[in-house]
Amino acid sequence: MISALNRLVDLVEEHLTEEFDVNGLARALGTTEYHLRRMFSSLAGMPLSEYVRRRRMTVAAAAVVRGEDDLLSIAVRHGYGSTEAFGRAFRAVHGAGPGDVRRDGGPLRTQPQIRFRLTVEGSIPMDTRIIDRPAFRLVGYAARVPLIHHGINPHIQHLITALPQEEHVRLKTLSDTEPAGLLQVSDDLDPDATEGSALTYLHGVAVSRDTPAPDDLHAIEVPAGMWAVFRTAGPYPQALQQTWAATATEWFPSNPWRLRPGPSIVAVLERADDFSTATCELWLPVEPT
């Protein structure tokens, strides 16, 4: 995986002024575009698209400062059809327009070329199991919410707290298969996992494929496949979010599995009355590499 990510970075550099085939590279490296983008975002701390934009504007800034070409020529060379579009992208990265930078020599914000390296951690074992599950169904209350990487998501919190207590009880009675109990489900997530991008959040339970979903509840059909299940305990949601991050930095680079498209599921096994601490299971859909 580390080699694949570094090859992806090299490809970005080779095609900074044009579009490149991420899916084709993923196939050539024996992985998938979905997994490659998810791992890049998790390890680099930014989506691939944002990294490409920053690198393009870093290289473009050098051409702007040198003053050898007019701004339209520089814009076209870097994939923009007008100086206006180029100027907006340039300002978003550098905080100043290309004309100002050409005149003043700055300010410039450089995006260095990323290199991925695997560091040996392993001081804290990850409690993990791999299971093969038949197709099942997730049913509950769903909404489109923005992705928030750290802390409590207020949009999700509002969805859950707005439900009457009897609805939580009702959902629990519907659960008849693993993952057991009330679940926090994230689906339709952007592979780049961009902060603020929309996802489908479902508060509900898992039922067998043959169990009908009540008409007033949303349903997500989950196909048969393998799952990596990570157990975590501690402050909530910090311990869960740290485990989620560690799957990208430690577990996937060290194990012959990759993410496949599908919902990620959190099962809360035990929790404090005020939800300050919790024991959870994080379910991620995987397939062999």
Side-chain angles (χ1 to χ4, degrees):
M1 192 67 247
I2 298 301
S3 296
L5 288 170
N6 283 327
R7 181 68 191 102
L8 175 60
V9 169
D10 291 339
L11 192 68
V12 169
E13 294 301 309
E14 294 168 11
H15 298 274
L16 267 181
T17 60
E18 59 192 83
E19 296 300 319
F20 58 93
D21 184 7
V22 181
N23 188 39
L25 173 67
R27 290 197 306 269
L29 295 173
T31 186
T32 64
E33 180 179 357
Y34 181 86
H35 184 66
L36 201 60
R37 286 183 178 274
R38 287 289 297 271
M39 290 300 100
F40 185 97
S41 175
S42 296
L43 295 175
M46 72 181 86
L48 175 61
S49 57
E50 175 64 15
Y51 174 71
V52 171
R53 185 171 68 92
R54 292 184 187 184
R55 283 297 298 152
R56 282 178 175 163
M57 291 301 102
T58 295
V59 174
V64 168
V65 172
R66 283 197 302 268
E68 297 172 357
D69 298 309
D70 62 80
L71 294 180
L72 180 58
S73 298
I74 296 172
V76 171
R77 188 161 69 244
H78 289 84
Y80 293 87
S82 67
T83 55
E84 290 78 11
F86 174 70
R88 287 193 296 270
F90 193 95
R91 184 178 294 277
V93 171
H94 297 291
D100 298 329
V101 167
R102 171 162 284 183
R103 183 187 65 244
D104 302 329
L108 295 174
R109 295 173 183 163
T110 300
Q111 171 61 59
Q113 183 176 345
I114 286 177
R115 300 306 297 177
F116 293 95
R117 293 180 176 84
L118 179 62
T119 59
V120 178
E121 300 286 347
S123 58
I124 302 176
M126 298 187 71
D127 186 358
T128 313
R129 58 192 173 107
I130 304 292
I131 60 174
D132 191 0
R133 291 283 287 114
F136 61 96
R137 180 177 290 141
L138 296 162
V139 298
Y141 292 89
R144 294 291 284 174
V145 302
L147 174 63
I148 295 177
H149 287 152
H150 303 289
I152 294 173
N153 188 316
H155 307 276
I156 293 175
Q157 187 178 40
H158 176 74
L159 171 67
I160 296 172
T161 56
L163 295 175
Q165 184 58 37
E166 55 266 27
E167 280 303 298
H168 298 282
V169 175
R170 174 196 177 204
L171 288 172
K172 286 182 180 180
T173 63
L174 292 174
S175 175
D176 64 6
T177 190
E178 281 199 294
L182 285 175
L183 307 175
Q184 303 167 5
V185 180
S186 298
D187 197 20
D188 295 328
L189 179 66
D190 174 9
D192 286 331
T194 308
E195 178 98 5
S197 61
L199 62 93
T200 297
Y201 177 83
L202 181 138
H203 178 74
V205 295
V207 299
S208 61
R209 190 177 186 180
D210 298 329
T211 300
D215 292 338
D216 62 331
L217 298 180
H218 297 88
I220 298 174
E221 301 294 334
V222 183
M226 306 292 291
W227 295 79
V229 183
F230 304 88
R231 190 182 181 95
T232 180
Y236 183 87
Q238 291 84 358
L240 176 62
Q241 291 169 336
Q242 289 168 3
T243 296
W244 204 308
T247 64
T249 58
E250 298 180 34
W251 195 82
F252 280 110
S254 305
N255 289 275
W257 299 92
R258 67 187 177 206
L259 282 169
R260 59 181 173 85
S264 57
I265 304 170
V266 173
V268 179
L269 307 181
E270 298 176 358
R271 69 177 182 89
D273 291 339
D274 61 357
F275 227 142
S276 59
T277 62
T279 299
C280 304
E281 282 188 341
L282 170 62
W283 289 58
L284 298 179
V286 298
E287 60 188 4
T289 56

